[in-house]
Amino acid sequence: MDISKRFLLLALILFVSVSVGQVYSPTEAKVVYQSQNPEGPFLKSISATTIVRANVTAYSSSPDETGPTPFITASGLHVADGIVANNFLPFGTKVRFPGIYGDKIFVVEDRMNNRYSTRFDIWMSSKQQALDFGIHPDALVEILE
């Protein structure tokens, strides 16, 4: 990752830390998980660059949830499992939602309405799946390099 992309990512992460709440180092995140989960930590080995707390929701390619091309992401790709919409991270950024999906890696390839500046929106293949997913408030999100 070149220096300008790293600087942009750092600036965005700092913005999110102010907007969303606290930014955790990987060591601190492990402590947060242990204290919230008495059965033991979900994070066995953490290789995340940054960990933030954010609301996580889901969307589908339903025309009432998307723009005029519901099966094409803002980055120009066709929707697929593992795509996530987010407004503050660059396209191609990899993220994980360890408390929701474990080690599964998602890629930011879509955007959402500007009013959701710090939310993550996971693409689902049906509107019912997205509705069933609901909202996961204040979830830990690992932003990977």
Side-chain angles (χ1 to χ4, degrees), residues 2-145:
D2 69 7
I3 194 80
S4 62
K5 285 184 181 177
R6 285 180 187 255
F7 179 76
L8 177 61
L9 185 58
L10 178 61
L12 291 170
I13 290 168
L14 290 173
F15 167 76
V16 171
S17 68
V18 171
S19 301
V20 174
Q22 211 168 0
V23 174
Y24 297 93
S25 73
T27 306
E28 291 168 331
K30 194 168 189 180
V31 171
V32 168
Y33 259 87
Q34 288 173 339
S35 66
Q36 290 181 348
N37 183 12
E39 289 102 34
F42 283 101
L43 306 176
K44 295 177 185 116
S45 65
I46 301 173
S47 60
T49 301
T50 303
I51 299 177
V52 299
R53 287 190 171 278
N55 291 335
V56 179
T57 56
Y59 73 107
S60 68
S61 292
S62 172
D64 61 319
E65 296 181 67
T66 60
T69 54
F71 294 97
I72 304 298
T73 66
S75 68
L77 296 178
H78 194 277
V79 292
D81 182 42
I83 285 183
V84 65
N86 179 270
N87 289 343
F88 67 87
L89 293 174
F91 291 138
T93 302
K94 294 177 181 174
V95 298
R96 281 193 297 222
F97 308 99
I100 304 169
Y101 282 102
D103 289 333
K104 182 177 180 177
I105 295 175
F106 292 79
V107 182
V108 175
E109 295 292 352
D110 213 352
R111 297 291 186 228
M112 33 196 331
N113 188 298
N114 287 334
R115 72 178 177 252
Y116 303 118
S117 61
T118 58
R119 182 178 290 191
F120 289 84
D121 210 15
I122 298 171
W123 181 82
M124 303 273 175
S125 60
S126 76
K127 187 169 187 163
Q128 190 58 53
Q129 284 178 316
L131 290 170
D132 291 344
F133 183 84
I135 185 167
H136 293 257
D138 206 29
L140 284 179
V141 181
E142 297 177 346
I143 302 171
L144 308 172
E145 273 196 90

